[in-house]
Amino acid sequence: MTTYYSGNTKAYVAVDCIIFGFDDNKLKLMLGKRQMDPGRGEWSLYGGFVGTDESVDEAAHRVLYELTGLKNLYMRQVEAFGAVDRDPGERVVSIAYCALIKISDYDHRLYEEHGARWVDLDQLPPLYSDHREMVQKAITLLRKSINSEPITNSLLPDYFTLTQLQHVYEAILGENIDKRNFRKRIMSIDLVEKTEMIDKTTSKRGAALYCFRDKRSEQHHI
Amino acid sequence: MTTYYSGNTKAYVAVDCIIFGFDDNKLKLMLGKRQMDPGRGEWSLYGGFVGTDESVDEAAHRVLYELTGLKNLYMRQVEAFGAVDRDPGERVVSIAYCALIKISDYDHRLYEEHGARWVDLDQLPPLYSDHREMVQKAITLLRKSINSEPITNSLLPDYFTLTQLQHVYEAILGENIDKRNFRKRIMSIDLVEKTEMIDKTTSKRGAALYCFRDKRSEQHHI
DNA sequence: TCAAAAGTGTTAGATTTACACCCATGA
DNA sequence: TCATGGGTGTAAATCTAACACTTTTGA
């Protein structure tokens, strides 16, 4: 038995997942009612404790998989939260992760089995512990990295219109974008590729469907 | 006794401090030889375990204070490191913090008591565990936030020449900057204020000494 | 025929980059 | 007097931001 550090105390280490989706031109957050004490019944992010045989990153992916059945989603560490009393039960240091889901690609039954709900970001209920702060940090992170990481790729279905893409940018950045400037910029960075397909669901005229050019950005799900 | 989460296992939670200084126109990192098993004698960042009555942030500040005698230094969480085998002894999740010190403002005796040394960033020895990766992440963070956080303020003495300031930028960004463009830009953002003082140590002609304009950026040390 | 979303260029201003010489002084 | 680092301006190129009308088609 190893006892190198036995003079020191241990703590529970947890992960909490800030799961974003995009639907109805709005950013959504996946929340559930907390199913354990303390705080049972409060709105909460999905989380779990880090096990002995998994890294913290792996724990985050596991929690997300258990909830959604999806693997290899975009996921990124946001920050470790370590206030002494952040958890009303015991000392828990939690590492927050931001995850992005293509809502429309998957059916919602698994979420619902867990009592999960997509909630509009601008209508968040009070959240358990410091989860609200985690969400805020995650949004700040999304805004900073929207142009350098495959964020929009992870939120949109495989084929999408430029208007949809613009709405994702607007939802994340929280501001309106000029349509012409936006299209010019997107075209100049080789991000997307036009397909032959036309989407007729949002207008009578129909809009060209695009896909992301970088095949590396395609996520592989189980 | 609280036992809410007793089905789960705990882990040691530690902090590691990536301490940067600036001297001789180069970024320096404070390293020490690890003084405990496992890994005794290896070059290592300064770290410590998070105690029961302190937040993770507080633990980081405490470790830095114990080493340097300085409080209220610029400090920022970098990332949590949680690989299963990252520590060869036991399961330790470590949260890395980046700290910035004005080397020339303080004498080095306290550091030396701890066996600490300033090492050139481009001449790092092999480091314990994943500390090298922590350093890399910290540099990336510095580069990203050099224009939005009081980073150069925290590395330079209270009075400095524009050439010194430029050297800090160059050391952090790892690239040469055009002198005229640099001065134009610095002047345009109201970052610094010219004083009446002249520094004659680096040239016969002498260079004007500047101070940072924003008093909020001044650090208060013990 | 008209309502509704798709699609398309130009111009002014701001920002960024490249670039070279004189100044002041101590040795 | 000269070697050394301090200090300064301009012009071209790039990027950003503002702005309005035509197209298509199903209802």
Side-chain angles (χ1 to χ4, degrees):
Chain A
M1 180 181 173
T2 52
T3 54
Y4 287 113
Y5 309 135
S6 56
N8 301 284
T9 53
K10 295 183 175 184
Y12 289 109
V13 178
V15 292
D16 283 300
C17 297
I18 302 126
I19 308 172
F20 291 105
F22 181 76
D23 194 28
D24 192 24
N25 292 342
K26 291 196 286 283
L27 266 190
K28 309 268 186 171
L29 189 62
M30 195 183 285
L31 295 177
K33 295 251 181 160
R34 191 168 152 92
Q35 292 172 357
M36 60 166 76
D37 285 315
R40 188 185 297 269
E42 291 183 43
W43 286 105
S44 163
L45 299 171
Y46 273 84
F49 291 99
V50 177
T52 45
D53 293 329
E54 61 184 357
S55 70
V56 175
D57 282 358
E58 285 162 358
H61 279 93
R62 171 180 55 77
V63 166
L64 190 61
Y65 175 72
E66 290 170 359
L67 177 62
T68 65
L70 304 172
K71 285 188 177 176
N72 299 310
L73 292 180
Y74 175 91
M75 213 165 188
R76 176 159 169 198
Q77 193 186 120
V78 174
E79 190 169 312
F81 287 76
V84 173
D85 294 326
R86 58 172 295 284
D87 192 286
E90 303 190 45
R91 183 71 194 268
V92 182
V93 171
S94 180
I95 294 136
Y97 282 79
C98 171
L100 302 175
I101 285 190
K102 302 175 201 270
I103 288 188
S104 52
D105 272 13
Y106 304 98
D107 78 333
H108 295 190
R109 275 170 295 181
L110 190 52
Y111 312 157
E112 284 157 9
E113 280 174 23
H114 286 83
R117 272 187 49 192
W118 288 108
V119 177
D120 272 19
L121 248 197
D122 48 9
Q123 293 175 21
L124 289 190
L127 298 184
Y128 176 75
S129 183
D130 49 10
H131 287 191
R132 181 61 183 257
E133 194 187 341
M134 293 180 176
V135 172
Q136 192 51 53
K137 286 262 166 64
I139 292 171
T140 301
L141 190 62
L142 284 190
R143 286 182 180 168
K144 277 188 187 158
S145 46
I146 189 169
N147 286 313
S148 54
E149 301 218 22
I151 289 173
T152 52
N153 312 28
S154 306
L155 288 168
L156 286 171
D158 292 343
Y159 298 97
F160 52 87
T161 68
L162 290 184
T163 300
Q164 281 179 287
L165 181 61
Q166 180 176 342
H167 285 147
V168 175
Y169 272 82
E170 290 176 332
I172 290 176
L173 299 176
E175 63 187 24
N176 292 332
I177 301 174
D178 179 271
K179 182 167 56 163
R180 278 172 294 186
N181 291 338
F182 176 76
R183 286 168 183 240
K184 231 181 311 169
R185 184 160 55 91
I186 292 298
M187 287 312 157
S188 74
I189 59 176
D190 249 25
L191 180 70
V192 297
E193 197 164 356
K194 197 171 186 172
T195 71
E196 297 299 307
M197 288 175 281
I198 304 288
D199 173 90
K200 305 272 286 188
T201 60
T202 54
S203 79
K204 294 161 184 169
R205 171 176 174 176
L209 283 167
Y210 288 73
C211 64
F212 287 100
R213 195 180 284 272
D214 185 353
K215 293 306 169 190
R216 287 168 299 176
S217 75
E218 286 186 7
Q219 308 292 324
H220 302 285
H221 313 285
I222 294 227
Chain B
M1 180 181 173
T2 51
T3 54
Y4 286 114
Y5 309 135
S6 56
N8 301 283
T9 55
K10 295 183 174 185
Y12 290 108
V13 178
V15 293
D16 284 300
C17 297
I18 302 127
I19 308 173
F20 291 105
F22 182 76
D23 194 28
D24 191 26
N25 291 344
K26 290 195 288 282
L27 265 191
K28 310 266 187 177
L29 189 61
M30 195 183 285
L31 294 178
K33 296 250 183 162
R34 191 168 152 92
Q35 292 172 359
M36 60 165 76
D37 284 314
R40 187 185 296 271
E42 292 183 43
W43 286 105
S44 162
L45 299 171
Y46 274 83
F49 291 99
V50 177
T52 44
D53 294 329
E54 62 184 358
S55 70
V56 176
D57 282 357
E58 285 161 1
H61 279 94
R62 171 180 56 76
V63 166
L64 190 61
Y65 176 72
E66 289 170 0
L67 176 64
T68 65
L70 304 172
K71 285 188 178 176
N72 298 313
L73 293 180
Y74 175 91
M75 212 166 189
R76 175 159 169 198
Q77 192 186 122
V78 174
E79 189 169 313
F81 287 76
V84 174
D85 294 326
R86 57 171 297 281
D87 192 286
E90 303 189 45
R91 182 71 194 268
V92 181
V93 171
S94 180
I95 293 134
Y97 282 79
C98 173
L100 302 176
I101 284 189
K102 303 175 200 269
I103 288 188
S104 51
D105 272 12
Y106 304 99
D107 77 336
H108 296 190
R109 276 170 294 183
L110 189 52
Y111 312 158
E112 284 157 10
E113 280 175 22
H114 286 82
R117 273 185 49 191
W118 287 108
V119 178
D120 272 19
L121 247 198
D122 49 9
Q123 292 175 22
L124 289 190
L127 298 183
Y128 175 75
S129 183
D130 49 10
H131 287 191
R132 181 62 184 257
E133 194 188 340
M134 291 180 177
V135 172
Q136 192 51 54
K137 286 263 166 64
I139 294 171
T140 302
L141 191 61
L142 284 189
R143 286 181 180 167
K144 278 188 187 157
S145 46
I146 189 170
N147 286 313
S148 54
E149 301 218 23
I151 289 172
T152 53
N153 314 28
S154 306
L155 287 168
L156 286 171
D158 292 344
Y159 298 97
F160 53 89
T161 69
L162 290 184
T163 301
Q164 281 178 288
L165 180 61
Q166 181 176 343
H167 286 149
V168 175
Y169 272 82
E170 290 176 333
I172 290 176
L173 299 177
E175 63 187 23
N176 292 330
I177 300 174
D178 179 272
K179 181 167 56 162
R180 278 173 292 186
N181 292 338
F182 177 76
R183 286 168 182 240
K184 230 183 312 168
R185 184 158 56 88
I186 292 299
M187 288 312 158
S188 75
I189 60 176
D190 249 26
L191 180 70
V192 297
E193 198 163 355
K194 197 173 186 170
T195 72
E196 297 298 309
M197 289 174 281
I198 304 287
D199 173 89
K200 307 272 287 188
T201 60
T202 53
S203 78
K204 294 160 183 170
R205 172 176 173 175
L209 283 167
Y210 287 73
C211 64
F212 287 99
R213 194 179 284 273
D214 185 353
K215 294 305 170 193
R216 286 168 297 174
S217 74
E218 284 184 8
Q219 307 292 323
H220 302 284
H221 313 286
I222 294 226

